[in-house]
Amino acid sequence: MIMFASAISLNASTEILPIPIDLKTQMIEIGTWRPDCPVGIDRLRLIKFMHYDFSGDQKKGEIVVLEAVAARVAKVFESLYQYKFPIAQAKTIEHFQGLDQPSMASNNTSAFNYRPIAGKTIPSLHSYGVAIDINPIQNPSIEPQTIVDRLEIYIPVHPAEGQGYLNRTNIRPGMVEQSLDTAIGLRVVELFKLNGFYVWGGTWNDPVDWQHFQPSRAASEWLAFMTPDDATLLFELYIEHPTLLNNPKVRDFDFKILYEKNRLDFMNALQNPDFWKMLPEEAYNSLNQLKLI
């Protein structure tokens, strides 16, 4: 099994910074962050990192993520740089006025953006600062169940420039199936998974979203209701013990109210490895019995 040390050390090629005031102003003016966003703007971090482009030149990239995942995201991009994995560009979504389609068409790698899931009303996990889209042209998204008429099924490709990359067995530079280290079987998808991004849109059915990586929605919601320090600890615990929060049924229980009653006892309970082996109802009941009042 490939493992990273739980302690994260970053090279000089990568920085994690509070959101600069000029970018914060842009985010508010454009609406990429709004007061009803699931996470406060001060919980977001700007990651600056070096990467190689498709010509082999070194470039500077920037993305915005939640503070709780920032160290792991920085580690991912630092590793991609060390393996010389090509990234076309990485600019914050404000360069595209918060619009996903122009960003994808420009083959832009991005993260935070307060918006709903495409075609739906619930917030995308980009709104939590925990979802990352990488090289959208080499890793497009498709909606295979979009029916135009009774006799024909039309499959939209986003961005349209990504139509040449629908054959995922023909692996080319910049695709997330690209091998980084053949000796240990490490591909880009495994690198993200090792750092807590267990959900890859390439495994979905409708849409199929090869560019997209995220933790589970339950994990993301827990990160959002916790304090920054607690959320950072939770994300590391999630990386080690993903089963509980990767179970969609965990969202049937209101863990937030238990956390708000007594966060110290809640967090102490989470540090017991046996907690993460429980089913969602068992986990909820175990916390509820701690007299979190």
Side-chain angles (χ1 to χ4, degrees), residues 12-285:
S13 62
T14 309
E15 293 182 277
I16 301 174
L17 305 166
I19 303 298
I21 188 63
D22 57 340
L23 177 56
K24 189 180 292 187
T25 300
Q26 276 189 303
M27 294 168 72
I28 294 171
E29 290 178 349
I30 294 172
T32 51
W33 181 89
R34 298 194 295 273
D36 59 338
C37 184
V39 295
I41 197 167
D42 289 331
R43 292 197 60 187
L44 300 173
R45 296 292 181 266
L46 178 68
I47 299 180
K48 295 186 175 185
F49 60 95
M50 296 298 298
H51 67 90
Y52 288 89
D53 66 13
F54 283 84
S55 298
D57 297 325
Q58 297 187 51
K59 303 290 185 181
K60 293 181 180 179
E62 296 184 344
I63 58 171
V64 172
V65 298
L66 185 68
E67 91 282 284
V69 304
R72 287 290 180 168
V73 172
K75 183 65 178 178
V76 167
F77 282 98
E78 186 177 273
S79 296
L80 293 176
Y81 175 62
Q82 292 170 350
Y83 284 115
K84 297 187 177 181
F85 174 81
I87 296 172
Q89 64 173 354
K91 297 180 179 179
T92 65
I93 200 67
E94 288 70 36
H95 286 82
F96 304 91
Q97 297 300 302
L99 300 175
D100 197 37
Q101 292 294 334
S103 176
M104 288 193 295
S106 295
N107 209 13
N108 186 55
T109 292
S110 64
F112 178 79
N113 186 14
Y114 183 32
R115 61 174 176 81
I117 294 175
K120 299 182 180 180
T121 57
I122 63 173
S124 162
L125 290 192
H126 288 284
S127 305
Y128 290 75
V130 297
I132 298 170
D133 291 342
I134 186 164
N135 286 343
I137 288 179
Q138 286 73 29
N139 304 289
S141 64
I142 60 174
E143 300 171 62
Q145 295 183 14
T146 303
I147 299 176
V148 174
D149 59 42
R150 193 167 55 86
L151 300 177
E152 182 179 359
I153 296 178
Y154 171 66
I155 303 179
V157 179
H158 304 289
E161 294 83 356
Q163 291 185 45
Y165 288 88
L166 298 185
N167 179 358
R168 306 307 292 182
T169 64
N170 180 17
I171 298 173
R172 286 155 284 168
M175 295 172 66
V176 297
E177 297 92 339
Q178 181 178 333
S179 177
L180 301 173
D181 190 329
T182 56
I184 58 175
L186 180 67
R187 303 179 301 165
V188 177
V189 291
E190 280 82 36
L191 177 64
F192 272 95
K193 185 175 181 180
L194 287 168
N195 285 279
F197 293 83
Y198 287 101
V199 180
W200 174 39
T203 64
W204 295 343
N205 291 323
D206 185 14
V208 182
D209 197 354
W210 287 293
Q211 65 198 261
H212 183 93
F213 294 91
Q214 64 174 65
S216 71
R217 181 166 286 271
S220 304
E221 291 171 348
W222 283 35
L223 294 173
F225 69 60
M226 289 181 167
T227 67
D229 287 345
D230 288 351
T232 302
L233 173 58
L234 172 73
F235 194 61
E236 291 301 311
L237 291 170
Y238 171 66
I239 292 172
E240 293 179 29
H241 311 285
T243 303
L244 176 64
L245 290 181
N246 282 350
N247 186 335
K249 291 187 179 297
V250 77
R251 299 183 66 236
D252 294 341
F253 301 91
D254 190 355
F255 285 89
K256 179 181 178 182
I257 193 170
L258 300 181
Y259 175 80
E260 291 175 341
K261 284 181 179 179
N262 189 325
R263 72 176 187 85
L264 293 179
D265 284 353
F266 187 104
M267 294 304 297
N268 284 336
L270 264 56
Q271 295 182 68
N272 182 348
D274 290 337
F275 174 83
W276 299 100
K277 300 175 184 177
M278 298 180 187
L279 295 173
E281 184 174 6
E282 294 173 330
Y284 180 83
N285 290 337

